[in-house]
Amino acid sequence: MYKLLFFFIMSFASAQNYRFVYEYKMKPDVNKKDSIITDYMNLDTDGKNSYFYNSTKYERDSTYSVTKSYKDLLSAKSYDQNLSYIVEKDYAKKAMNFYDKFKTVNLLIPDNETPKWKIEKEFLKINNINCQKATANYKGRIWEAWFSKDYPVNDGPYKFSGLPGLIVSIKDSENDHAFNLIQIKKIKGIFSLLPKSTKQMTFAEYKKTMNGFTFSNDDIESMSINKQAGKMDIQLKDGYIAQLGLDDIKKNPKLDEEITKRLRRTNNYIERN
């Protein structure tokens, strides 16, 4: 287990901004159970609202919004395209918004359904944090969560909330998805890059849209070839950087088919329904 790093002393009861960093492990393909993606997601909260998002994408987008440099995009760390979404929670309204992007369109999927938890009489220390177990059948999966009352933040990664404390660890019964808290930080300001204009749809419509992805030349913003590294970098209009090996392109001269294969979204969604 990771050693949890604490960067604050002041009480959570005061009005402060905090960032909870989760390691997220996901099996992207239901037909390939040995394939695992590991990435890092941030949960920012100011006590009124929270934002859950990919940490690498946020750092990259924050830098690019200032410099507008294509080189900065290419030199930034990579992240999985499946993890480009944002989950916004409004504590007072008990409302959630799920944001993502399809090509050039910003998508908004409202969702106010929270898990119906069963709190168990099981206790465990995780990274020296006192935790209690809870289970829920949520969105077609059975979830096991460990939450802590040490932190009066009734929140957790992704859309998981509603427990009397902070979710420290959560996974589904098939081990396809697992979130583990690895770091807590006190921060000056929370996430602030929500899209200004969006197209609203249901989650079922969202999955249908993502699963129907096909690539065309109109999706390309710019391209560059690095012969020494043997790769091609393609920046799409949605901001994502796709990297293809030149050898792979030679084997499959139909570039659109190769990129479509690489960029098609996961068929192992957190939510099954």
Side-chain angles (χ1 to χ4, degrees):
M1 297 294 290
Y2 288 86
K3 182 180 180 182
L4 194 61
L5 303 180
F6 293 90
F7 288 87
F8 61 92
I9 300 176
M10 298 181 66
S11 170
F12 271 80
S14 59
Q16 302 290 338
N17 302 323
Y18 291 94
R19 175 168 297 159
F20 303 93
V21 183
Y22 290 85
E23 180 192 69
Y24 176 33
K25 289 185 179 292
M26 173 185 69
K27 296 176 182 177
D29 193 332
V30 293
N31 299 313
K32 297 179 180 179
K33 291 294 185 178
D34 58 341
S35 62
I36 297 177
I37 289 173
T38 301
D39 219 318
Y40 298 90
M41 311 290 288
N42 292 340
L43 175 67
D44 289 3
T45 180
D46 60 3
K48 297 179 180 179
N49 300 278
S50 71
Y51 302 90
F52 184 73
Y53 58 93
N54 184 279
S55 60
T56 298
K57 183 179 186 301
Y58 178 67
E59 292 171 3
R60 196 207 68 169
D61 290 352
S62 298
T63 300
Y64 183 71
S65 66
V66 175
T67 66
K68 302 297 181 182
S69 170
Y70 178 57
K71 290 183 178 180
D72 288 338
L73 289 178
L74 293 179
S75 62
K77 295 179 182 177
S78 60
Y79 63 92
D80 190 86
Q81 195 193 20
N82 295 288
L83 306 180
S84 61
Y85 59 78
I86 304 162
V87 178
E88 175 190 34
K89 301 188 189 93
D90 185 314
Y91 297 157
K93 295 180 180 179
K94 295 183 179 180
M96 286 189 294
N97 288 319
F98 181 95
Y99 297 88
D100 205 346
K101 193 168 186 176
F102 181 74
K103 300 193 175 185
T104 60
V105 181
N106 293 310
L107 306 179
L108 167 62
I109 300 93
D111 186 358
N112 297 332
E113 181 186 353
T114 56
K116 295 180 181 178
W117 297 103
K118 179 184 178 182
I119 297 179
E120 311 283 353
K121 293 183 179 180
E122 292 186 42
F123 302 88
L124 182 69
K125 269 200 172 185
I126 302 176
N127 291 326
N128 292 320
I129 300 176
N130 296 311
C131 298
Q132 187 171 357
K133 184 179 177 179
T135 57
N137 191 330
Y138 178 65
K139 305 286 189 179
R141 293 181 184 274
I142 297 173
W143 296 91
E144 176 186 289
W146 292 90
F147 69 97
S148 176
K149 295 180 181 179
D150 293 348
Y151 310 102
V153 178
N154 302 343
D155 207 345
Y158 193 63
K159 298 180 180 180
F160 301 107
S161 61
L163 284 166
L166 175 70
I167 295 177
V168 175
S169 177
I170 184 168
K171 65 179 181 178
D172 72 298
S173 59
E174 298 171 57
N175 288 316
D176 288 338
H177 301 271
F179 297 92
N180 289 289
L181 179 67
I182 61 170
Q183 193 177 77
I184 301 175
K185 304 177 185 179
K186 179 182 174 184
I187 55 177
K188 292 182 178 179
I190 63 174
F191 182 88
S192 60
L193 292 179
L194 284 179
K196 295 180 180 179
S197 59
T198 58
K199 177 181 178 180
Q200 187 169 318
M201 61 175 57
T202 66
F203 197 81
E205 292 171 331
Y206 164 76
K207 288 200 294 184
K208 183 178 179 180
T209 297
M210 292 303 182
N211 290 339
F213 170 84
T214 55
F215 173 82
S216 71
N217 291 334
D218 293 336
D219 297 321
I220 297 177
E221 181 72 27
S222 59
M223 298 172 60
S224 66
I225 295 177
N226 187 332
K227 292 184 178 180
Q228 290 183 340
K231 65 180 182 179
M232 173 188 291
D233 293 314
I234 302 175
Q235 181 188 354
L236 305 184
K237 290 180 180 178
D238 66 0
Y240 187 73
I241 302 294
Q243 293 187 335
L244 300 175
L246 297 181
D247 289 339
D248 292 333
I249 296 173
K250 290 178 182 178
K251 294 176 183 177
N252 186 358
K254 295 183 178 180
L255 185 60
D256 55 341
E257 293 181 3
E258 182 66 23
I259 297 178
T260 295
K261 182 177 68 176
R262 295 289 184 89
L263 300 185
R264 190 175 296 280
R265 294 299 183 95
T266 178
N267 63 350
N268 198 2
Y269 291 94
I270 291 179
E271 303 172 42
R272 285 177 167 160
N273 52 26

